[in-house]
């Protein structure tokens, strides 16, 4: 009996020890990492925009030697925002570029500055391309963004144009009689000028049926808000201004009119053909598309970008709200590097039967319209296609 009891007691002690051992093994913390390497990040936790924006240009290799680069753009535009955001985030400095940013009120004036080699590269709109390529030999080196939704002609709410409402399939307001003789504040030679011309054509009118007063877009916006005009054209975040939209109605819209308009990256041919400048321009293009990738990587990034857009605009004297700038970023979206590469290589046929690339046709069509209406000489059409659209930088970056 004593032996049996002793054996049972021993068995209980063994089982108890095993249970304790298992409990210790289960609750013991994992061994410390003594390798000296940082712990791997939690891949399920996305970096917040304020953090991820700090790493946009981590993979960009700097130039062998610092290069001066003057970058030209249009004040208050969404394509200009990327140029300024790159400056804010130290992109140029990281790439070995000593940058200077200069702004212009419209594309044609920007291109006139090429005569004195006032800038090396930058962004511009349709007006800048048509004047720059045909008259000054400017090179188009990339596609920046769509430029349709925010190209709007506004009329005051108490005008007959607004009272008559949309009268065409493409939502042009008013009748021909309501438009005739009206003074219109617009940046002549710009995408807004083109939008107005196409809209008037839908009503059976030519541009000479109205009176154009040339102003840059910022001045048009100021004039309308001060009740110094009944009809005017604005673009970018100006088109979404709460005060403007409460007093005026958009009576023409480039997107409704079916216009395929874009803004582009451009280069001074003299700078482009200088080896040191060329390398710096390629870095500029590379970082431009990296910035775009970051903006649309998440909804949080886009929202934060709108905040930065507002901040940068205010610094440059352009007033707007975060929501207005967010609308700009989501309505007239930027092109990715792949989008741009395809636009420079995919073929299409213009209305007159001429075969060309998609990016060329986006400018050839509007220029054909201007030529037909006597604003440009016929030979400017062929001049536009004389090698001004350069894909080599896009090719090099896309095939990296």
């Amino acid at each position: 009996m004593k032996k049996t009891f002793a054996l049972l007691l021993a068995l209980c002690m063994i089982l108890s020890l095993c249970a304790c051992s298992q409990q210790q093994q289960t609750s013991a913390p994992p061994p410390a990492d003594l390798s000296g390497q940082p712990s791997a990040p939690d891949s399920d936790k996305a970096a917040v925009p304020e953090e991820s924006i700090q790493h946009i240009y981590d993979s960009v290799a700097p130039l062998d030697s610092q290069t001066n680069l003057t970058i030209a753009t249009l004040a208050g535009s969404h394509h200009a925002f990327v140029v300024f955001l790159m400056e804010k985030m130290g992109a140029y400095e990281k790439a070995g570029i000593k940058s200077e940013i200069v702004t212009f009120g419209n594309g044609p004036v920007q291109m006139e500055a090429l005569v004195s080699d006032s800038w090396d590269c930058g962004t511009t709109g349709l007006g800048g391309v048509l004047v720059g390529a045909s008259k000054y030999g400017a090179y188009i080196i990339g596609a920046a963004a769509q430029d349709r939704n925010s190209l709007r002609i506004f009329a005051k709410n108490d005008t007959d144009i607004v009272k008559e409402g949309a009268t065409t399939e493409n939502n042009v307001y008013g009748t021909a009689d309501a438009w005739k003789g009206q003074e219109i504040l617009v940046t002549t030679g710009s995408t807004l000028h083109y939008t107005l011309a196409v809209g008037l054509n839908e009503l059976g009118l030519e541009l000479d049926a109205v009176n154009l007063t040339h102003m840059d877009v910022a001045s048009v916006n100021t004039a309308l808000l001060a009740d110094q005009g009944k009809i005017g054209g604005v673009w970018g975040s100006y088109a979404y201004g709460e005060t403007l939209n409460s007093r005026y109605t958009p009576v023409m819209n480039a997107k409704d009119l079916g216009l395929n308009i874009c803004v582009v990256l451009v280069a001074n041919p003299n700078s482009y053909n200088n080896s040191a400048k060329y390398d710096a321009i390629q870095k500029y293009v590379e970082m431009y598309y990296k910035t775009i990738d970051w903006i649309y990587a998440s909804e949080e990034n886009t929202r934060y970008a709108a905040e930065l857009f507002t901040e940068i605009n205010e610094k440059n004297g352009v007033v707007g709200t975060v929501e207005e700038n967010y609308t700009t970023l989501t309505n007239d979206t930027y092109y990715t590097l792949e989008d741009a590469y395809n636009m420079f290589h995919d073929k299409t046929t213009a209305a007159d039967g001429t075969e060309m690339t998609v990016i060329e046709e986006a400018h050839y069509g509007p220029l054909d319209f201007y030529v037909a209406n006597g604003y440009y000489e016929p030979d400017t059409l062929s001049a536009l296609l004389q090698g001004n659209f350069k894909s080599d930088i896009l090719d090099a970056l896309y095939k990296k």
Side-chain angles (χ1 to χ4, degrees):
M1 184 69 179
K2 288 183 180 180
K3 286 184 179 180
T4 300
F5 178 80
L7 287 172
L8 289 173
L9 182 62
L11 180 59
C12 288
M13 291 177 66
I14 291 171
L15 292 173
S16 176
L17 287 171
C18 288
C20 290
S21 174
Q22 288 173 353
Q23 185 176 5
Q24 288 172 355
Q25 289 175 7
T26 301
S27 60
D33 182 0
L34 303 178
S35 65
Q37 299 297 319
S39 301
D42 183 355
S43 59
D44 294 331
K45 183 179 180 181
V48 296
E50 293 85 347
E51 294 176 359
S52 63
I53 196 172
Q54 306 294 331
H55 302 286
I56 298 174
Y57 315 109
D58 284 357
S59 62
V60 177
L63 296 166
D64 292 335
S65 59
Q66 188 180 70
T67 304
N68 294 332
L69 207 60
T70 301
I71 303 163
T73 190
L74 305 184
S77 64
H78 63 318
H79 49 96
F81 163 59
V82 178
V83 172
F84 282 104
L85 181 58
M86 288 160 61
E87 178 186 54
K88 180 180 177 66
M89 300 315 302
Y92 304 116
E93 183 178 2
K94 177 177 177 56
I97 294 171
K98 186 176 181 181
S99 64
E100 178 187 5
I101 300 174
V102 293
T103 61
F104 295 86
N106 60 75
V109 173
Q110 176 189 18
M111 293 301 151
E112 289 171 8
L114 281 177
V115 174
S116 56
D117 281 333
S118 296
W119 53 270
D120 300 301
C121 63
T123 64
T124 196
L126 174 65
V129 172
L130 299 188
V131 172
S134 63
K135 191 173 181 180
Y136 301 107
Y139 290 160
I140 298 87
I141 59 174
Q146 296 181 40
D147 193 22
R148 301 184 299 162
N149 270 306
S150 65
L151 291 174
R152 300 183 179 189
I153 308 297
F154 284 83
K156 203 169 182 181
N157 291 338
D158 62 2
T159 60
D160 288 340
I161 292 172
V162 173
K163 290 177 182 177
E164 289 167 350
T167 58
T168 75
E169 291 183 358
N170 292 323
N171 296 320
V172 175
Y173 278 56
T175 61
D177 287 340
W179 280 90
K180 285 178 181 177
Q182 293 287 350
E183 181 189 20
I184 302 174
L185 313 181
V186 68
T187 306
T188 55
S190 71
T191 46
L192 287 165
H193 189 187
Y194 176 53
T195 300
L196 174 65
V198 174
L200 289 175
N201 266 16
E202 289 215 346
L203 298 172
L205 299 176
E206 303 293 339
L207 282 166
D208 59 7
V210 296
N211 299 311
L212 303 183
T213 298
H214 171 74
M215 289 184 179
D216 62 58
V217 171
S219 297
V220 172
N221 186 67
T222 300
L224 295 181
L225 293 180
D227 289 328
Q228 298 300 310
K230 292 185 176 181
I231 308 171
V234 297
W235 58 39
S237 54
Y238 292 117
Y240 305 113
E242 183 177 349
T243 303
L244 178 65
N245 280 273
S246 67
R247 301 179 190 172
Y248 292 77
T249 297
V251 293
M252 292 180 185
N253 181 307
K255 183 180 180 182
D256 289 344
L257 290 167
L259 304 182
N260 181 27
I261 301 175
C262 62
V263 290
V264 297
L265 307 180
V266 290
N268 179 335
N270 293 330
S271 304
Y272 189 90
N273 292 315
N274 175 292
S275 59
K277 292 279 190 181
Y278 178 90
D279 290 343
I281 291 171
Q282 180 165 324
K283 290 293 178 187
Y284 155 76
V285 175
E286 178 183 3
M287 295 187 296
Y288 196 97
Y289 287 115
K290 284 185 178 295
T291 307
I292 289 170
D293 288 342
W294 175 84
I295 289 172
Y296 295 128
S298 70
E299 170 66 12
E300 291 75 19
N301 284 11
T302 309
R303 287 282 178 186
Y304 185 53
E307 294 178 23
L308 296 174
F309 194 177
T310 308
E311 176 187 318
I312 288 170
N313 271 356
E314 287 176 352
K315 185 178 178 181
N316 291 318
V318 180
V319 178
T321 67
V322 172
E323 197 58 36
E324 290 164 7
N325 290 320
Y326 173 79
T327 303
T328 301
L329 294 179
T330 53
N331 275 10
D332 277 327
T333 53
Y334 297 104
Y335 296 115
T336 65
L337 174 60
E338 182 176 6
D339 292 334
Y341 176 85
N342 290 335
M343 291 174 73
F344 273 71
H345 289 280
D346 291 348
K347 297 290 185 179
T348 189
T349 303
D352 64 3
T354 306
E355 185 180 64
M356 60 192 69
T357 63
V358 170
I359 190 70
E360 288 172 333
E361 200 280 328
H363 297 86
Y364 187 89
L367 180 56
D368 188 32
F369 177 89
Y370 278 127
V371 169
N373 285 274
Y375 286 91
Y376 287 86
E377 295 298 323
D379 59 0
T380 56
L381 280 169
S382 58
L384 181 69
L385 304 178
Q386 296 301 312
N388 295 91
F389 292 83
K390 302 288 187 183
S391 69
D392 49 315
I393 288 179
L394 292 176
D395 294 346
L397 295 174
Y398 185 69
K399 295 173 182 177
K400 249 186 177 183

